[in-house]
Amino acid sequence: MASSPYDIENIPGFSGWFVHARDTSGEEPAAVVEHDGIGCTFSRSLTEEERDEVLGFLRNHAEGSEDYRLYGTVRAPLDEVSGMHISELRSAAWGIGLEGGHGDARPSVDFDVVLSFGVRRSAANKKRVELKPKGYHANVVDQDGAWYLIVILPTSRRKEEGTAAEIRQHIEVVRKEIGDVELDAPPIFRIRSAWHLRARAAVEAVRAYLDAAGFTTGVETHAHQKARMWQMVWVKQKPMYDIENLPGFVGWFEGELEAPLGDPATIVEVDRLGCVFSRPPTEDERAKTLGFLRNYIERHKRYEVRGSLTMPLAEISGMHIEKILTALHDSEVDGHDSMSAHLRFGVVLSFGARRDAAEKLCRELWPSVFDAEIVDRDGECFVIRRLFITLQGMEVAEMDKAIEDARKEMGQVALDVPPKVRADLSWSFPERAVAEAVRARFCAAGLTAEVVEEVFQSVRMRLVEQNRCRMLASGSIEDRMRPGVLSMAGFLGLRERLDDVLKEDASTLASLGVTTAEVADRLRPLVGEAISRYWKNPADGAFHVIGMFRVAIHQWRGTQECPWDCDVDSKWSSIDFVIENRRTGDKLRGPGLIVHLIAEHGFFEGKGTRYRVDPRQAVEVLGLPGEWWSRVLRR
């Protein structure tokens, strides 16, 4: 019986491993063996004994990394729940880990309201569109031909945050929001709690607590997440492509490199997909690498139709937009639903060289930094204000209202040219002939359209995934910081050295007379207060005035772990912030995790990542050192 992956690799005809999904773009293998999302391929048919040996190995590996997902749900009519009831259920879920003696296991707890619309999908979409600008996350779900809108409540999920009175206030706001909605059944409140446990005895003990608290429970068995991650490491840590065996190979990259990597002769790239070497490759090596990249892109190529339409805001109407949507729906072809297309509307405001006026407008009219963006193009400054118009579920009258509201907003704004509305549409197809046919229909509807050859980012990232697995397997902190390992952007560029970054930033701070502790001590109360206010009144991107600063928080669903494997509060590791100095107007952007990285490790991230917080900029925006800043203010 095989005891290691290398025993399987020694079976004659072994081709390679795969995790989750097998790459079907190449030649079909003669044999495929798979179990629980991991498997391998062979270039010849296997005997029964060989197949049993491979399956036995895969099953043993999966069973050795099993854990249990215990979930509990409480459902009740929204009209009957109270803040105290929700607070008690939340405390019951969070209290089990301590009282039950099951180590550091903690649950995930979510609250939502389920609205039933029957067959009225357009009505569900309409309500979702209305709720989005108000800070609610809502999803439209189809279940057995009936449509439901799941509204996620902004109630704090942690037992120590949010009083019963505050929870009651959230419930009352939601009741008012849906009070005039025609539903097929009364709205239902749900609380869902999920636990990941390694021992069956712990599952049964926690399940008893949940049952006693009124939860409906269930158990699922699957491979433990961390075990599966390391399963992926041993599958993919070996080179999968001949290019990775070339001397000096460093790693793959996708997209634009965010910082120079030294000698351009060490980079081989085709259409924003490439690799980096520690030395210039020979002519033969470069030709081989270029050939591989071109073949890889050609195999995965798709054809994207990109269309756009620009009209003066004063002239556009809901009927114009309806014409665009009709053209989109009429362009549907077999196997290509128009719901897979991407359509975005925005109001474009031209400020010429007056960027300060553009920033002032955004602060006054749109406190959310994610409703409008400032774009600099050819020396001119534009503000693009998003129009919330969706592919499905909006009537012409609703579109007219959205347009009229935009006109009222712009009525008093001094602009270099009248405001315009721009519609941008994209739709991807595997065949060029289909894309060309759809492009012709878009042009007939008045859009300017073109067909662009494209390779999806997810396909490109298959190569970058090789970097991640090798870096994780190495155990090096510096390797864990590379792009695509712990995060897509990474903490360092592909060639940056951690020691060099730490020394340079420490030198910069020393020249300014500031320490990392002073930077962290100024950041921590500002970001912490903004996080606290966000959880009391979740408004994504809204600015909070805190002393001489304005601070905005953007909450992400996932968290970012520390490269040094420190335990960081998820409230900090799941947000980005924007800090604006109210006296100077200067801004500082960064991830919540940066406060920990600066305080504990003196690390501001590398110049090769977009999440870097420049230490000099931080000192200027935050007004450090304090004595110097006080002298400036006295002047």
Side-chain angles (χ1 to χ4, degrees):
M1 176 64 70
S3 59
S4 77
Y6 306 106
D7 293 334
I8 304 300
E9 294 171 4
N10 288 327
I11 296 176
F14 174 86
S15 299
W17 299 99
F18 64 88
V19 176
H20 299 313
R22 179 170 59 87
D23 186 358
T24 59
S25 60
E27 185 178 346
E28 189 68 17
V32 179
V33 185
E34 180 180 5
H35 177 74
D36 197 20
I38 186 170
C40 52
T41 58
F42 293 84
S43 60
R44 65 172 181 85
S45 299
L46 298 178
T47 65
E48 288 189 14
E49 290 182 355
E50 289 171 334
R51 182 174 292 274
D52 289 343
E53 182 178 14
V54 177
L55 274 175
F57 168 77
L58 295 175
R59 285 170 181 156
N60 288 338
H61 188 80
E63 290 171 1
S65 60
E66 277 185 348
D67 73 352
Y68 304 92
R69 181 178 183 270
L70 170 64
Y71 56 89
T73 306
V74 174
R75 297 170 60 94
L78 181 61
D79 290 339
E80 298 179 10
V81 299
S82 65
M84 183 60 69
H85 185 205
I86 297 174
S87 181
E88 290 173 353
L89 290 171
R90 182 180 62 177
S91 296
W94 273 92
I96 296 171
L98 300 175
E99 298 170 9
H102 301 299
D104 295 328
R106 293 291 184 270
S108 63
V109 182
D110 294 293
F111 307 92
D112 57 41
V113 174
V114 182
L115 308 180
S116 175
F117 287 86
V119 297
R120 296 176 297 118
R121 177 181 181 180
S122 61
N125 273 307
K126 175 183 176 183
K127 193 61 187 176
R128 180 182 65 82
V129 172
E130 292 176 359
L131 290 173
K132 186 170 183 179
K134 300 177 182 179
Y136 288 93
H137 294 289
N139 301 309
V140 176
V141 178
D142 177 19
Q143 185 172 332
D144 299 327
W147 291 94
Y148 298 89
L149 182 65
I150 312 297
V151 183
I152 300 173
L153 293 182
T155 303
S156 175
R157 297 173 291 179
R158 294 180 176 272
K159 66 173 183 177
E160 69 273 12
E161 299 172 352
T163 64
E166 291 171 331
I167 297 173
R168 183 180 69 249
Q169 183 179 4
H170 288 315
I171 294 293
E172 289 301 323
V173 171
V174 173
R175 285 173 179 155
K176 290 179 182 179
E177 289 288 353
I178 64 176
D180 60 345
V181 180
E182 181 184 349
L183 299 174
D184 282 32
I188 298 296
F189 166 82
R190 292 191 309 183
I191 177 173
R192 293 177 295 165
S193 176
W195 294 73
H196 289 275
L197 301 164
R198 299 302 303 273
R200 186 75 197 192
V203 172
E204 295 303 331
V206 174
R207 188 172 192 174
Y209 278 100
L210 290 177
D211 289 339
F215 287 79
T216 301
T217 58
V219 180
E220 296 176 351
T221 304
H222 58 86
H224 185 256
Q225 183 179 3
K226 288 190 176 180
R228 171 59 58 84
M229 181 179 72
W230 287 107
Q231 190 179 56
M232 293 175 66
V233 169
W234 67 252
V235 168
K236 290 191 172 182
Q237 67 182 340
K238 299 184 66 176
M240 292 186 68
Y241 304 101
D242 291 342
I243 304 303
E244 298 173 5
N245 288 319
L246 294 177
F249 176 86
V250 174
W252 303 101
F253 68 87
E254 188 277 332
E256 299 294 335
L257 291 172
E258 298 196 14
L261 292 175
D263 185 359
T266 62
I267 300 171
V268 183
E269 179 182 5
V270 174
D271 192 20
R272 297 180 294 113
L273 180 65
C275 56
V276 179
F277 292 87
S278 61
R279 58 164 184 84
T282 66
E283 289 188 11
D284 288 344
E285 292 170 339
R286 180 174 291 275
K288 182 177 182 179
T289 306
L290 285 172
F292 168 81
L293 292 171
R294 287 167 181 154
N295 290 335
Y296 186 88
I297 289 173
E298 189 64 32
R299 290 202 315 270
H300 299 94
K301 188 176 295 182
R302 290 180 66 90
Y303 302 91
E304 186 173 74
V305 184
R306 297 177 184 174
S308 64
L309 175 67
T310 303
M311 290 186 66
L313 178 61
E315 298 178 12
I316 198 166
S317 68
M319 290 302 298
H320 287 106
I321 297 176
E322 179 69 13
K323 185 178 180 181
I324 296 174
L325 297 179
T326 300
L328 175 62
H329 299 319
D330 290 346
S331 300
E332 291 186 357
V333 293
D334 292 340
H336 302 286
D337 188 339
S338 62
M339 287 297 290
S340 62
H342 298 280
L343 178 63
R344 176 169 178 166
F345 289 90
V347 179
V348 182
L349 311 176
S350 175
F351 285 85
R354 297 178 297 117
R355 183 181 176 88
D356 56 340
E359 293 179 347
K360 180 181 178 182
L361 178 71
C362 289
R363 288 196 301 267
E364 292 177 351
L365 289 185
W366 309 301
S368 170
V369 295
F370 305 100
D371 282 349
E373 61 177 324
I374 298 177
V375 177
D376 294 299
R377 187 179 302 149
D378 299 329
E380 292 189 74
C381 181
F382 299 88
V383 172
I384 302 177
R385 163 69 159 116
R386 184 179 176 186
L387 271 181
F388 290 98
I389 295 175
T390 61
L391 285 170
Q392 301 282 345
M394 289 193 75
E395 304 292 337
V396 173
E398 295 175 285
M399 300 177 195
D400 282 329
K401 184 179 185 305
I403 294 170
E404 188 58 34
D405 290 343
R407 287 177 183 148
K408 290 178 181 178
E409 282 185 341
M410 316 306 169
Q412 305 300 320
V413 181
L415 300 171
D416 285 29
V417 296
K420 297 180 180 180
V421 171
R422 180 181 173 92
D424 290 292
L425 174 64
S426 62
W427 198 356
S428 180
F429 301 93
E431 304 90 13
R432 175 178 280 279
V434 176
E436 290 292 352
V438 172
R439 182 194 65 80
R441 296 174 189 175
F442 284 176
C443 291
L447 281 77
T448 301
E450 62 176 342
V451 175
V452 179
E453 294 183 355
E454 184 58 84
V455 177
F456 282 169
Q457 186 182 30
S458 59
V459 175
R460 297 168 177 271
M461 292 308 298
R462 291 177 189 170
L463 289 177
V464 181
E465 175 68 12
Q466 310 310 313
N467 292 347
R468 175 179 184 273
C469 294
R470 268 193 302 274
M471 300 303 187
L472 280 174
S474 74
S476 163
I477 292 176
E478 188 170 85
D479 284 347
R480 288 162 61 88
M481 291 183 173
R482 299 300 182 195
V485 184
L486 293 181
S487 70
M488 295 309 301
F491 297 83
L492 291 172
L494 279 172
R495 284 234 200 100
E496 283 186 298
R497 309 296 300 179
L498 176 58
D499 286 345
D500 294 342
V501 172
L502 292 173
K503 290 177 182 177
E504 182 178 345
D505 288 344
S507 175
T508 298
L509 289 179
S511 69
L512 298 172
V514 178
T515 66
T516 55
E518 288 175 314
V519 177
D521 289 345
R522 182 63 62 89
L523 277 174
R524 189 180 292 108
L526 288 176
V527 180
E529 176 63 20
I531 292 174
S532 178
R533 295 186 188 183
Y534 171 86
W535 281 108
K536 291 179 180 177
N537 181 25
D540 210 47
F543 276 100
H544 305 275
V545 177
I546 305 173
M548 57 181 280
F549 301 97
R550 299 169 73 243
V551 186
I553 296 295
H554 176 60
Q555 176 77 35
W556 299 100
R557 288 188 176 274
T559 60
Q560 177 60 63
E561 61 182 294
C562 171
W564 281 270
D565 207 22
C566 302
D567 187 15
V568 181
D569 192 328
S570 61
K571 289 187 299 184
W572 290 79
S573 60
S574 61
I575 62 106
D576 289 345
F577 63 79
V578 180
I579 297 176
E580 179 186 4
N581 188 306
R582 296 169 61 197
R583 292 189 174 94
T584 66
D586 295 332
K587 291 186 177 69
L588 181 71
R589 292 176 169 82
L593 182 64
I594 200 71
V595 181
H596 163 81
L597 295 177
I598 294 172
E600 300 299 327
H601 310 291
F603 184 51
F604 292 79
E605 303 204 25
K607 296 179 181 179
T609 173
R610 62 178 177 274
Y611 288 104
R612 172 176 169 81
V613 172
D614 182 74
R616 185 178 296 276
Q617 183 187 13
V619 168
E620 293 173 354
V621 174
L622 297 174
L624 295 170
E627 294 182 3
W628 172 84
W629 185 249
S630 299
R631 290 197 300 271
V632 171
L633 294 181
R634 285 196 295 269
R635 293 175 187 170

